[in-house]
Amino acid sequence: ETGVTQTPRHLVMGMTNKKSLKCEQHLGHNAMYWYKQSAKKPLELMFVYNFKEQTENNSVPSRFSPECPNSSHLFLHLHTLQPEDSALYLCASSPGREPADTQYFGPGTRLTVL
Amino acid sequence: AQKVTQAQTEISVVEKEDVTLDCVYETRDTTYYLFWYKQPPSGELVFLIRRNSFDEQNEISGRYSWNFQKSTSSFNFTITASQVVDSAVYFCALSEAWGTNAGKSTFGDGTTLTVKP
């Protein structure tokens, strides 16, 4: 596989469920990102990991919990979500060598919270 | 603070027409990078171009061309002889190289382009 992959592609969950989104990059990159894309809103940066260290938490509610066990994998753990959290969640990676590297995106997970 | 404005929410053209997507940005940084991405219905953002603030040369790649005008803080994207496969949402983004916003990409709201046969 090449590029950035995300699983699952679609997820429907209730407000009391716990689920996890997975992202994997096969590009040898060192930085990984989570973005949220809601209808009628611009892409919102949620978290940034650089060399497995979290370098950015953009005031994201604690019901979203990221995990980066290594430079190739990034998870987003979800619990007690709200309907307004329904969105497309995009993962991206970049080489991590420069502050403004090009980011390469995965196909996203379409999340619906009932 | 950095900001990216894509004033055109939706554009519709007929195949083979040329179309220009506008992007205007704001930043206090002197070193920054500008990007364009394409998001087809499948959802994945596809990287198109990265341009640094010191390189004002226009760029052409096949039917795509970009016009970077630092004086007007604009980085416009033109598709020549548009095709149905060009239908997508196009995002312009800005990333500062230094300071507290270094590496954080700010995206515009996107322009939805529909190319009709």
Side-chain angles (χ1 to χ4, degrees):
Chain A
E1 278 193 270
T2 59
V4 181
T5 58
Q6 290 185 242
T7 53
R9 293 293 308 276
H10 300 272
L11 178 62
V12 179
M13 59 187 289
M15 288 191 285
T16 57
N17 292 158
K18 287 185 181 180
K19 295 287 183 184
S20 295
L21 309 185
K22 179 183 176 183
C23 175
E24 185 173 359
Q25 59 94 2
H26 309 270
L27 300 169
H29 289 168
N30 295 301
M32 296 188 78
Y33 311 76
W34 278 118
Y35 285 87
K36 176 183 179 183
Q37 186 179 25
S38 306
K40 310 293 183 185
K41 283 188 176 181
L43 268 76
E44 301 171 59
L45 178 65
M46 299 175 72
F47 301 104
V48 181
Y49 278 82
N50 213 336
F51 292 89
K52 300 188 296 179
E53 297 289 325
Q54 187 179 104
T55 57
E56 183 70 26
N57 177 337
N58 207 17
S59 303
V60 180
S62 60
R63 56 186 184 270
F64 294 92
S65 174
E67 179 190 358
C68 188
N70 55 61
S71 293
S72 299
H73 294 85
L74 184 65
F75 295 90
L76 188 62
H77 304 299
L78 316 170
H79 63 98
T80 59
L81 294 191
Q82 305 297 313
E84 60 264 29
D85 296 322
S86 298
L88 180 67
Y89 289 84
L90 290 160
C91 174
S93 71
S94 70
R97 291 188 296 270
E98 297 180 28
D101 275 337
T102 298
Q103 296 176 29
Y104 294 87
F105 286 80
T109 294
R110 176 72 62 184
L111 173 67
T112 302
V113 181
L114 302 176
Chain B
Q2 53 189 31
K3 184 179 178 183
V4 176
T5 301
Q6 293 180 254
Q8 304 149 309
T9 306
E10 295 181 12
I11 300 177
S12 181
V13 299
V14 176
E15 209 170 18
K16 297 185 183 175
E17 284 185 19
D18 298 348
V19 57
T20 295
L21 310 182
D22 298 334
C23 173
V24 174
Y25 62 90
E26 294 176 30
T27 177
R28 293 180 182 175
D29 209 344
T30 55
T31 305
Y32 52 90
Y33 292 80
L34 296 162
F35 303 81
W36 275 95
Y37 287 88
K38 173 183 179 180
Q39 187 178 37
S42 59
E44 178 177 348
L45 269 75
V46 177
F47 165 73
L48 297 178
I49 189 169
R50 173 180 185 252
R51 173 56 54 84
N52 78 55
S53 52
F54 295 107
D55 182 2
E56 286 195 69
Q57 274 195 331
N58 290 333
E59 180 152 343
I60 298 175
S61 175
R63 295 184 298 108
Y64 296 168
S65 62
W66 291 269
N67 184 352
F68 179 25
Q69 297 278 343
K70 213 167 177 178
S71 58
T72 55
S73 298
S74 66
F75 187 44
N76 296 338
F77 172 35
T78 297
I79 302 175
T80 303
S82 59
Q83 300 175 3
V84 173
V85 293
D86 295 327
S87 297
V89 183
Y90 290 86
F91 291 94
C92 179
L94 165 72
S95 196
E96 292 174 352
W98 307 108
T100 55
N101 288 324
K104 294 185 206 177
S105 289
T106 297
F107 285 78
D109 290 353
T111 297
T112 300
L113 174 65
T114 302
V115 181
K116 299 177 181 176

